[in-house]
Amino acid sequence: MNENTGQRHRVVVIGGGYAGTMAANHLRLRDDVDITLVNPRPQFVERIRLHQLVAGTGTATADYGTLLGADIQLVVDTADRIHAPARRVELASGAALDYDYLIYAVGSTGATPIAVPGAAEFAYSVADLESATRLRYALADVREDSRVTVVGAGLTGIEVASELAEEGRSVTLICGGILGPSLSARGRRSVAKHLRKLGANVLEDASVSEVRWDSVILADGTRLPSAVTVWTAGFGVPDLASRSGLRTDALGRLLTDETLTSISDDRIIAAGDSAAPSNHPLRMSCQAAFPLAAQAANTVLSRIAGTTPAVLNQAFVGQCISVGRTYGTIQLAHLDDTPANAIIGGRVAASIKEAVCKGTLWQLRREAAKPGFYRWLKGGNRPARLQADEADKEVVVR
């Protein structure tokens, strides 16, 4: 297929998170592409602010009308199955969408802690809007001095624990192994210092053997009273790809080549947390999602133009962690996402983190107004190591 045919090209983007929204906007570099974005919610969810929603210190949604290009069709529905041979997406409502190319950007979810008795029944997640909202209501139903346990000390667990501790909650953070496994020693010391100032109780080298409605049982038999238990250890992905007969990695991410093209079907391109290029995925993060999205869109545009798509090329700069509203830690990183022995801490780091959060929506709006505006850092290599939040899952669930 090439750009001289005069025909219009139908592209369906599944998932309206950071990756899907950026990809949809970037596709507008061509004016002969009809873009449909499928998302189960009518509003964009700022996942990087869900810990604020839980604590009542901020909101975590934005209007798609301010984030999407005017000619992008938003379909509020859930993709039930991808029928690749027919180039069709079947929706939960019974409707179907035909496509010439499909961008798979379904994102990630909280890992279901089935290995720990009681966790699925009694622990709350903060991985999506609905789960975070349920957690907020649960916290509102208990006394402010009731004990809260956060399981998992990756970035999500740190931010949830610190946000709640700053609100005056009695919080215990169970690390499983070490606090902040993706951080450098300096980064961990910075985070730990302020968690202590907030009054949070941090338990390193402690693991959970059972979750009950009113307590958490540790592997050594210790019982910790817990009116609300929050599970942040590990992430999973929706099973849409595997249910659709597409090849995935062990976690369920769509397997692709280095151009982000599915190894099962060259009309399907992946972006964001649900992509596994060469079975070697990047860290699940907003920081990775935007460059992946732009490159996935570029792959589609190259195929439409009849040119060879570029291979994956992006780099990282670090990790931003809020430790409450007034303190933060910026963990600087090498281009391959391994932590450097350098950080920025304190109020300055908190300001940087807030600027980054605001900047994500600003970049989406700029890309909607001027496709091709977005640029990303290049030159990084993907390290052969566990992703931070997946590492949490391994050390906590024993």
Side-chain angles (χ1 to χ4, degrees):
M1 187 176 296
N2 60 65
E3 58 186 344
N4 298 318
T5 62
Q7 71 182 89
R8 299 197 63 79
H9 310 281
R10 302 165 299 177
V11 181
V12 171
V13 180
I14 302 179
Y18 296 104
T21 304
M22 176 60 78
N25 284 334
H26 198 73
L27 286 167
R28 296 173 65 245
L29 280 167
R30 290 182 63 110
D31 58 12
D32 60 349
V33 178
D34 295 326
I35 307 159
T36 301
L37 179 68
V38 180
N39 194 65
R41 305 177 190 87
Q43 289 183 304
F44 179 88
V45 176
E46 292 185 81
R47 290 186 67 184
I48 56 178
R49 290 196 187 274
L50 286 175
H51 60 287
Q52 290 184 250
L53 175 69
V54 166
T57 58
T59 60
T61 58
D63 185 358
Y64 274 118
T66 70
L67 301 178
L68 288 174
D71 51 348
I72 296 173
Q73 181 185 8
L74 174 65
V75 174
V76 180
D77 208 331
T78 300
D80 186 63
R81 183 173 179 267
I82 301 167
H83 189 38
R87 298 181 196 164
R88 181 175 298 122
V89 179
E90 299 169 357
L91 305 178
S93 65
L97 296 171
D98 294 324
Y99 64 84
D100 296 308
Y101 291 94
L102 182 144
I103 293 183
Y104 187 84
V106 298
S108 57
T109 62
T112 303
I114 56 176
V116 177
E121 294 84 359
F122 302 120
Y124 292 86
S125 171
V126 70
D128 54 56
L129 179 64
E130 291 76 17
S131 297
T133 301
R134 285 193 293 271
L135 174 55
R136 182 178 180 181
Y137 291 155
L139 289 166
D141 286 341
V142 301
R143 292 165 51 98
E144 288 190 3
D145 60 354
S146 298
R147 297 183 182 182
V148 178
T149 303
V150 179
V151 183
L155 306 191
T156 302
I158 290 168
E159 293 194 326
V160 171
S162 59
E163 203 80 24
L164 294 177
E166 191 174 65
E167 292 297 301
R169 299 280 183 177
S170 176
V171 178
T172 296
L173 177 61
I174 300 177
C175 300
I178 60 174
L179 176 69
S182 66
L183 305 179
S184 66
R186 282 187 177 181
R188 285 192 289 273
R189 286 196 298 269
S190 174
V191 170
K193 177 181 177 181
H194 201 65
L195 281 170
R196 287 194 299 269
K197 286 184 177 180
L198 293 174
N201 180 29
V202 179
L203 299 182
E204 296 194 83
D205 296 317
S207 59
V208 176
S209 62
E210 183 182 357
V211 177
R212 299 176 182 174
W213 71 273
D214 63 347
S215 60
V216 169
I217 310 301
L218 302 184
D220 64 3
T222 301
R223 177 183 177 275
L224 300 178
S226 181
V228 178
T229 300
V230 188
W231 197 277
T232 70
F235 283 92
V237 296
D239 65 351
L240 176 61
S242 58
R243 284 191 289 108
S244 300
L246 303 172
R247 290 186 61 185
T248 68
D249 69 0
L251 192 66
R253 290 171 287 218
L254 186 68
L255 283 174
T256 76
D257 63 15
E258 286 296 295
T259 71
L260 298 174
T261 302
S262 166
I263 63 174
S264 301
D265 190 292
D266 63 7
R267 296 288 181 137
I268 299 175
I269 294 87
D273 292 353
S274 53
S278 302
N279 202 16
H280 197 68
L282 283 73
R283 172 166 55 89
M284 292 182 176
S285 64
C286 176
Q287 186 179 166
F290 273 11
L292 285 168
Q295 292 173 96
N298 283 341
T299 291
V300 171
L301 297 175
S302 292
R303 295 196 186 283
I304 290 174
T307 59
T308 302
V311 298
L312 181 63
N313 185 355
Q314 69 185 76
F316 288 82
V317 295
Q319 301 171 64
C320 300
I321 310 109
S322 61
V323 191
R325 291 294 85 215
T326 60
Y327 188 94
T329 296
I330 308 300
Q331 172 65 66
L332 302 180
H334 302 290
L335 295 181
D336 67 355
D337 199 30
T338 54
N341 192 30
I343 66 160
I344 302 171
R347 293 181 180 273
V348 172
S351 297
I352 293 172
K353 170 65 187 293
E354 179 59 23
V356 167
C357 290
K358 290 180 178 178
T360 58
L361 295 189
W362 180 82
Q363 288 182 88
L364 288 173
R365 293 183 177 118
R366 288 294 298 160
E367 189 68 17
K370 186 179 179 181
F373 164 83
Y374 176 70
R375 296 288 188 272
W376 65 94
L377 183 65
K378 300 179 181 180
N381 296 312
R382 301 200 294 286
R385 64 179 178 86
L386 283 175
Q387 308 305 312
D389 285 313
E390 290 173 42
D392 287 353
K393 180 180 178 182
E394 295 296 323
V395 298
V396 172
V397 182
R398 292 178 180 170

